[in-house]
């Protein structure tokens, strides 16, 4: 256990000892007033690796040089461009390469996967999700329910947080699944809650979903590249995530999808099909009948968006080098340090300024810390901006910050705390 100390010396010493510290130089840090900003929104849009431009330019060059022949002759032939990703992503999400495919964007993938994994019947039609899920997920769930002729009000069961908090008790999720039992078609949860930063016990949730005969899927937008995932071993049926948050692959970047091994060869599974999911040997025979590739690629619709994938590749190379376990360990230290400082601010006077919405328990959080500001929320936020912090504001009074292990430092966290302290305590 590290004993944290809210001093510059401590922060600098931690940075010196940090094996991942040099990775910061591999990223462009947005400048404010000619200085590195304190960028704490890697949970919203990850920073740009300096290598990204070269990767994208390579593809532009090959397009200029080869035209359509780039599908075969580009340095990374476009025909099979997406095939580089499963091996790179597999250690990040704990999946076998054949369970992974990179395609489309997150909400699109959520829909495509629900076409396969939400097959309601009059007896079994309910979806269990967390209350106040990310809006896009709520809309996706509601429209899927309607697509099948059911009513969202009765079909979608939300698990509420504990009274007066934003903490959702894992047992409450399990109890809700058990209570609705054989009426549950699907359990679909955000693996890490976007608002509170709470990490759910995905393994347990999945186990209990399967006990009642339901499928279980996760939206991992805030989990991928943030916490250690073991999707295969947890027996998760499906999952998807975006690449522009912790995965630093650029605005609107391409999404990742996971479909468990036990489903990928099931050609009878309902899906919306496209030519890029069709058997590769026969794809260009342009035949009528769809023969799905017996991997997660069988869910692909379209040919690969190479420019966006080039950015994804640049970023995943850095993850490979840094190692997911190292990143997770440092991420927890950074957020632990931040929590320590917030406690100190709360305990300096008799007044409590900040209510931390993120669980203290290391297994229930990743990098993100969400703070409900009890006094002058908006003004505190403005003072942060004025002092070079880039953070995220959520109504009514929540500031979300995420020190991320690839480019944030302990000194960033210390400086953030100092600005906060200065405003609140004078
Ligand atoms: C960021 C986020 C999204 C965004 O969806 P896109 O399709 O990538 O625009 C959806 N769901 C969750 C839980 C998110 O955190």
């Amino acid at each position: 256990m590290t004993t944290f100390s809210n001093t510059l010396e401590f922060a600098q010493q931690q940075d010196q000892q940090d094996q991942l510290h040099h990775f910061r130089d591999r990223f462009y840090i947005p400048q404010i007033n000619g200085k590195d900003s304190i960028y704490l929104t890697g949970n919203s849009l990850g920073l740009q690796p300096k290598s990204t431009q070269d990767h994208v330019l390579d593809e532009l060059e090959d397009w200029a040089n080869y035209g359509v022949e780039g599908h075969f002759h580009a340095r990374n032939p476009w025909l099979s461009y997406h095939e580089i990703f499963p091996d790179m992503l597999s250690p990040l999400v704990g999946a076998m390469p054949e369970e992974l495919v990179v395609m489309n964007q997150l909400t699109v993938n959520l829909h495509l996967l629900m076409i396969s994994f939400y097959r309601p019947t009059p007896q079994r039609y309910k979806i269990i999700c967390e209350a106040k899920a990310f809006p896009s997920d709520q809309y996706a769930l509601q429209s899927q329910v309607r697509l099948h002729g059911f009513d969202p009000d009765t079909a979608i069961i939300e698990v509420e947080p504990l009274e007066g908090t934003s903490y959702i008790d894992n047992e409450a999720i399990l109890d809700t699944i058990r209570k609705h039992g054989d009426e549950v078609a699907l359990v679909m949860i955000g693996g890490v809650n976007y608002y509170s930063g709470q990490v759910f016990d995905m393994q347990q949730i999945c186990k209990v979903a399967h006990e009642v005969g339901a499928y279980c899927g996760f939206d991992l937008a805030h989990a991928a590249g943030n916490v250690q995932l073991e999707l295969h071993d947890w027996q998760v049926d499906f999952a998807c995530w975006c690449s522009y948050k912790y995965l630093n692959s650029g605005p609107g970047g391409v999404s990742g999808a996971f479909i468990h091994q036990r489903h990928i060869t099931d050609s009878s599974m309902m899906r919306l099909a496209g030519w890029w999911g069709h058997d590769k040997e026969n794809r260009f025979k342009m035949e009528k009948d769809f023969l799905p590739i017996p991997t997660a690629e069988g869910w692909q619709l379209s040919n690969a968006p190479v420019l966006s994938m080039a950015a994804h590749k640049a970023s995943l190379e850095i993850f490979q080098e840094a190692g997911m376990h190292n990143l997770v360990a440092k991420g927890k230290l950074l957020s632990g340090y931040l929590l320590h400082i917030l406690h100190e601010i709360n305990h300096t006077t008799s007044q409590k300024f900040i209510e931390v919405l993120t669980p203290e328990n290391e297994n229930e959080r990743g990098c993100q810390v969400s703070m409900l500001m009890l006094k002058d929320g908006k003004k505190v936020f403005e003072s942060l901006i004025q002092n070079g912090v880039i953070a995220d504001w959520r109504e009514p009074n929540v500031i979300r910050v995420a020190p991320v292990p690839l480019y944030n430092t302990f000194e960033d966290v210390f400086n953030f705390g100092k600005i906060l302290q200065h405003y609140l305590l004078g």
Side-chain angles (χ1 to χ4, degrees):
M1 265 311 278
T2 310
T3 311
F4 295 118
S5 157
N6 187 10
T7 63
L8 181 62
E9 295 69 47
F10 172 82
Q12 288 178 337
Q13 186 199 0
Q14 289 296 303
D15 284 330
Q16 267 163 24
Q17 288 171 7
D18 171 19
Q19 306 281 330
L20 300 175
H21 188 64
H22 62 285
F23 280 100
R24 178 177 170 87
D25 291 335
R26 310 271 286 271
F27 290 85
Y28 290 111
I29 311 292
Q31 301 291 299
I32 294 184
N33 298 328
K35 275 181 27 193
D36 283 0
S37 61
I38 302 175
Y39 192 82
L40 297 175
T41 42
N43 57 341
S44 188
L45 185 75
L47 291 181
Q48 182 184 147
K50 290 176 179 166
S51 55
T52 302
Q53 289 187 20
D54 281 344
H55 280 68
V56 175
L57 282 174
D58 282 353
E59 302 312 325
L60 289 174
E61 245 171 52
D62 286 351
W63 179 22
N65 291 333
Y66 298 112
V68 71
E69 296 297 321
H71 284 296
F72 306 99
H73 300 311
R75 280 161 280 187
N76 310 290
W78 306 328
L79 190 71
S80 53
Y81 197 98
H82 58 279
E83 291 174 14
I84 58 171
F85 294 119
D87 284 334
M88 300 180 100
L89 280 170
S90 130
L92 268 65
V93 296
M96 300 169 75
E98 61 263 38
E99 295 171 315
L100 294 167
V101 61
V102 167
M103 58 182 186
N104 313 312
Q105 286 169 294
L106 171 54
T107 309
V108 175
N109 284 341
L110 196 52
H111 273 299
L112 291 178
L113 292 169
M114 281 198 283
I115 288 292
S116 297
F117 291 97
Y118 180 56
R119 310 296 311 156
T121 66
Q123 291 73 39
R124 189 187 279 282
Y125 61 95
K126 290 182 178 172
I127 301 178
I128 310 280
C129 67
E130 77 276 35
K132 300 210 190 95
F134 193 89
S136 197
D137 298 34
Q138 294 187 41
Y139 308 148
L141 295 179
Q142 289 160 6
S143 54
Q144 284 282 331
V145 163
R146 289 202 186 94
L147 174 72
H148 292 283
F150 293 89
D151 176 2
D153 287 343
T154 49
I156 299 178
I157 311 296
E158 297 188 350
V159 184
E160 296 291 334
L162 297 177
E163 182 91 31
T165 74
S166 29
Y167 181 77
I168 300 183
D169 188 7
N170 208 62
E171 286 302 318
I173 299 177
L174 306 182
D175 287 347
T176 308
I177 299 170
R178 291 192 188 105
K179 178 173 151 218
H180 293 271
D182 58 11
E183 291 175 351
V184 183
L186 174 66
V187 177
M188 217 314 285
I189 305 236
V192 176
N193 185 271
Y194 81 99
Y195 182 75
S196 67
Q198 180 181 355
V199 179
F200 294 109
D201 186 341
M202 290 172 252
Q203 183 172 18
Q204 272 290 325
I205 292 171
C206 194
K207 182 164 169 274
V208 173
H210 289 166
E211 278 166 15
V212 303
Y215 282 132
C216 184
F218 294 101
D219 181 330
L220 301 176
H222 281 265
N226 177 19
V227 297
Q228 190 62 49
L229 298 163
E230 299 294 347
L231 298 179
H232 178 83
D233 288 349
W234 295 344
Q235 304 291 327
V236 172
D237 293 293
F238 71 92
C240 47
W241 53 90
C242 53
S243 66
Y244 50 82
K245 292 174 179 165
Y246 292 96
L247 293 179
N248 307 324
S249 303
V254 68
S255 159
F258 164 92
I259 297 133
H260 198 278
Q261 192 186 30
R262 65 185 175 279
H263 304 302
I264 54 180
T265 51
D266 180 358
S267 58
S268 71
M269 197 159 228
M270 179 61 75
R271 69 185 95 188
L272 295 180
W275 71 324
W276 235 248
H278 185 81
D279 174 40
K280 289 176 201 181
E281 299 296 309
N282 296 302
R283 185 180 289 153
F284 292 98
K285 291 187 184 156
M286 306 294 195
E287 284 169 344
K288 191 164 122 245
D289 290 320
F290 178 69
L291 186 62
I293 300 168
T295 71
E297 272 188 60
W299 272 260
Q300 273 184 134
L301 299 185
S302 300
N303 72 96
V306 167
L307 297 182
S308 149
M309 286 185 168
H312 196 31
K313 179 165 176 274
S315 170
L316 291 182
E317 285 172 357
I318 298 176
F319 274 86
Q320 271 186 323
E321 240 184 278
M324 197 58 209
H325 285 289
N326 301 330
L327 290 167
V328 169
K330 181 179 167 188
K332 287 195 196 295
L333 270 184
L334 284 170
S335 54
Y337 186 37
L338 177 54
L339 290 172
H340 170 87
I341 293 173
L342 298 181
H343 280 302
E344 208 173 280
I345 294 175
N346 272 336
H347 288 104
T348 301
T349 67
S350 56
Q351 184 174 8
K352 188 176 172 189
F353 295 100
I354 301 158
E355 185 168 324
V356 176
L357 303 181
T358 308
E360 300 280 327
N361 178 348
E362 228 181 60
N363 300 322
E364 289 185 291
R365 65 174 154 85
C367 299
Q368 178 179 322
V369 173
S370 303
M371 308 179 293
L372 176 64
M373 305 309 291
L374 303 175
K375 182 180 168 238
D376 292 351
K378 204 68 204 232
K379 285 191 192 146
V380 174
F381 187 67
E382 275 156 20
S383 136
L384 289 170
I385 295 173
Q386 275 157 20
N387 287 285
V389 176
I390 303 182
D392 173 276
W393 174 263
R394 294 283 135 159
E395 296 298 335
N397 261 316
V398 173
I399 298 175
R400 298 186 309 165
V401 287
V404 306
L406 272 174
Y407 47 79
N408 284 121
T409 59
F410 289 85
E411 199 171 331
D412 277 343
V413 174
F414 170 79
N415 285 329
F416 170 79
K418 208 172 71 176
I419 297 162
L420 205 58
Q421 228 163 324
H422 185 76
Y423 183 89
L424 292 170
L425 300 169

